[in-house]
Amino acid sequence: MNTTSTSSPIHVIGGGLAGSEAAWQIASAGVPVVLHEMRGVRGTDAHKSDGLAELVCSNSFRSDDATSNAVGVIHAEMRMAGSLIMACADRHQVPAGGALAVDRDGFSDAVTKAIHNNPLITVVREEITGLPPKEWGLAIVATGPLTAPSLAQAIQSETGADALAFFDAIAPIVYRESIDMDICWYQSRYDKVGPGGTGKDYINCPLNEEQYNAFVDALIAGDTVGFKEWEGTPYFDGCLPIEVMAERGRETLRHGPMKPMGLTNSHNPTVKAYAVVQLRQDNALGTLYNMVGFQTKLKYGAQAEIFRMIPGLENAEFARLGGLHRNTYINSPTLLDSSLTLKSRPGLRFAGQITGCEGYVESASVGLLAGRFAAAERKGEAVSLPPATTALGSLLGHITGGHIVTDEEPGKRSFQPMNINFGLFPELQPGSIVKPEGVKRFRGKDKTIMKRQLIAKRALADCATWLGQAAPLAETA
């Protein structure tokens, strides 16, 4: 039990989506908060104002469909938990079809007003240049992907030189069930059995010479996203975008991430593949596989079209598409416990994108959890984790332990930021998916839709049980 008085404030560093949500959740639990925000004293390269929860990129919170979309499910769960971010987004919604998009200025103003009007929240405009002093007691660092260099250095000093990344080199991630295993096969290169491996740890997609050349041509011709001026061009440690490698010579990929050596197609052992794309298991559940070495700056639409040219991935569904951009985040699976507390320093939690989640609602949801956990600890209550079957619980589980850490590439991080997606949820119980009466053919997309509907329904029911159906909607007036 925490011996500090419940009247002692919890300090939250960072007034973005995660920090604002964390502060709101703490105050909603009756615990005072000091929210430290440096904008107003010092700006960033991306922010335009000093308003809290400013949206620096898109104004979209993505799909609001809670029946069959993982993003919509986390929206619904956050609303059930009294989320300030969702309440303000709902109040300032603008037309966007099935997505939840907002008037960005109205949204930020509403969050800022709600935070400033809450008697339990004190906003201090100052830059925190180091980790919170231990005399503060409980604290949450929610400084996001643009963490100030001095604070990033302090975090790195506390956690270790290899525990903090400053750029994502993200490869696409594919849902395992959408890969055509009549074309692809399981095998590790040269049947090598690594730590915890079996010799069949990769899914392999074979290309003949004609398919390979068409793929290279498409990569070179594909539309790419440029770096922002302040990002620079972070091509490092062999993490070149796949299209840049293609531009450097037609054979480059065959001697890099698409090399066919040491692999034999189990479907056709006598024919040697001209090139091979490998996918590696990305999560402990085995539902997600990442495309090895396929970090890219291609635009999302181009990625989906070009990567579906790969045999076996013609009908691939992507849990995440690739990218390469500036993003400060910690190696959460090794550094944080299940309640987002830094293992090396009790009482200090991390929240938001710095933990390795990606996206507005994901960032805010981790702030929501960190705030609830910290408030419970301050009040001497047991920290209640959301069930793994919920969107909140599945994202938390991925951040704090669901990711597979590999030792195959020394010095390189395997943990990468992730959006919420159905691949993070535990599988349904066997027999849950039942063919509807009168339907002769029930497979493919129809079966996938039903599966996601059942996962979403289970998630919302389990979240309601976790919250006791007592969580009020956030009031922002």
Side-chain angles (χ1 to χ4, degrees):
M1 178 177 290
N2 193 291
T3 58
T4 309
S5 168
T6 56
S7 63
S8 299
I10 296 173
H11 292 259
V12 177
I13 302 175
L17 292 164
S20 297
E21 185 64 65
W24 184 263
Q25 292 291 324
I26 294 166
S28 297
V31 177
V33 190
V34 178
L35 178 61
H36 305 263
E37 170 53 53
M38 74 175 184
R39 285 178 297 117
V41 174
R42 173 181 171 170
T44 75
D45 293 310
H47 290 88
K48 305 299 182 186
S49 76
D50 60 2
L52 301 177
E54 179 186 342
L55 305 181
V56 299
C57 297
S58 168
N59 71 326
S60 175
F61 283 31
R62 311 193 327 273
S63 175
D64 203 36
D65 174 15
T67 65
S68 58
N69 188 289
V71 180
V73 175
I74 207 167
H75 284 181
E77 292 182 6
M78 291 172 68
R79 290 184 179 108
M80 293 165 64
S83 166
L84 172 67
I85 294 303
M86 290 307 302
C88 292
D90 289 338
R91 283 185 62 192
H92 293 275
Q93 184 174 5
V94 296
L100 174 59
V102 303
D103 177 306
R104 65 177 72 234
D105 292 334
F107 168 77
S108 176
D109 289 346
V111 174
T112 303
K113 179 182 176 182
I115 293 291
H116 279 282
N117 287 348
N118 192 306
L120 286 176
I121 303 176
T122 301
V123 178
V124 178
R125 297 283 181 168
E126 63 178 353
E127 181 182 359
I128 303 298
T129 57
L131 288 177
K134 292 185 178 180
E135 54 266 28
W136 280 5
L138 299 183
I140 298 172
V141 175
T143 46
L146 300 180
T147 298
S150 57
L151 179 54
Q153 185 175 1
I155 294 170
Q156 199 165 33
S157 297
E158 172 70 26
T159 58
D162 295 328
L164 193 68
F166 297 98
F167 287 94
D168 290 341
I170 298 176
I173 287 182
V174 180
Y175 287 107
R176 162 62 185 82
E177 62 187 15
S178 70
I179 301 170
D180 187 349
M181 295 307 296
D182 289 334
I183 295 174
C184 305
W185 76 95
Y186 285 101
Q187 186 188 5
S188 299
R189 198 176 302 279
Y190 300 109
D191 300 309
K192 181 179 178 181
V193 180
T198 65
K200 296 184 178 180
D201 302 320
Y202 292 81
I203 293 177
N204 299 279
C205 309
L207 293 86
N208 60 32
E209 185 173 2
E210 182 182 354
Q211 291 167 332
Y212 174 79
N213 284 323
F215 180 70
V216 170
D217 290 340
L219 284 176
I220 294 172
D223 288 337
T224 59
V225 179
F227 288 103
K228 296 180 176 65
E229 182 179 347
W230 48 268
E231 284 188 303
T233 307
Y235 297 156
F236 63 101
D237 288 343
C239 289
L240 288 174
I242 191 80
E243 64 277 5
V244 173
M245 284 189 272
E247 291 171 350
R248 294 190 174 185
R250 185 157 293 272
E251 295 295 296
T252 302
L253 292 175
R254 286 190 68 237
H255 295 279
M258 295 179 67
K259 60 180 179 246
M261 287 75 78
L263 297 168
T264 300
N265 188 340
S266 61
H267 300 299
N268 196 355
T270 62
V271 177
K272 186 72 174 177
Y274 190 76
V276 172
V277 173
Q278 288 197 305
L279 295 95
R280 178 172 56 209
Q281 185 174 335
D282 195 79
N283 66 337
L285 295 172
T287 54
L288 302 174
Y289 274 72
N290 69 71
M291 299 176 68
V292 178
F294 268 58
Q295 57 278 351
T296 179
K297 288 292 288 182
L298 288 169
K299 292 182 178 179
Y300 284 171
Q303 286 186 49
E305 180 179 348
I306 294 170
F307 294 152
R308 288 187 180 123
M309 294 173 64
I310 298 169
L313 301 185
E314 292 91 345
N315 298 308
E317 293 190 38
F318 297 93
R320 182 187 71 190
L321 288 163
L324 189 67
H325 59 92
R326 179 178 170 181
N327 187 5
T328 302
Y329 66 100
I330 62 174
N331 194 4
S332 293
T334 60
L335 297 177
L336 303 182
D337 70 10
S338 59
S339 73
L340 300 167
T341 300
L342 192 63
K343 294 175 183 177
S344 64
R345 186 170 156 186
L348 179 59
R349 285 181 168 83
F350 283 77
Q353 284 187 253
I354 199 168
T355 64
C357 63
E358 186 87 4
Y360 290 152
V361 292
E362 291 87 343
S363 178
S365 72
V366 179
L368 181 152
L369 292 172
R372 294 176 72 92
F373 297 161
E377 185 174 348
R378 169 64 82 235
K379 295 165 72 174
E381 300 171 356
V383 172
S384 174
L385 303 180
T389 50
T390 64
L392 291 169
S394 65
L395 183 61
L396 177 66
H398 174 75
I399 290 170
T400 61
H403 180 77
I404 293 177
V405 178
T406 63
D407 297 321
E408 297 178 10
E409 301 172 275
K412 292 184 180 179
R413 300 165 52 85
S414 60
F415 177 62
Q416 293 285 357
M418 177 72 78
N419 293 110
I420 186 66
N421 64 79
F422 281 119
L424 301 183
F425 291 71
E427 290 282 3
L428 295 166
Q429 291 294 322
S432 297
I433 303 175
V434 179
K435 184 175 72 171
E437 285 188 32
V439 175
K440 292 183 179 180
R441 294 169 59 88
F442 183 61
R443 59 187 181 185
K445 289 186 177 180
D446 291 335
K447 190 172 183 179
T448 297
I449 290 171
M450 176 177 281
K451 177 182 178 181
R452 294 178 179 180
Q453 289 173 339
L454 292 172
I455 291 174
K457 183 178 180 180
R458 178 186 66 181
L460 296 180
D462 290 352
C463 186
T465 299
W466 175 58
L467 294 169
Q469 290 283 0
L473 292 176
E475 294 294 332
T476 61

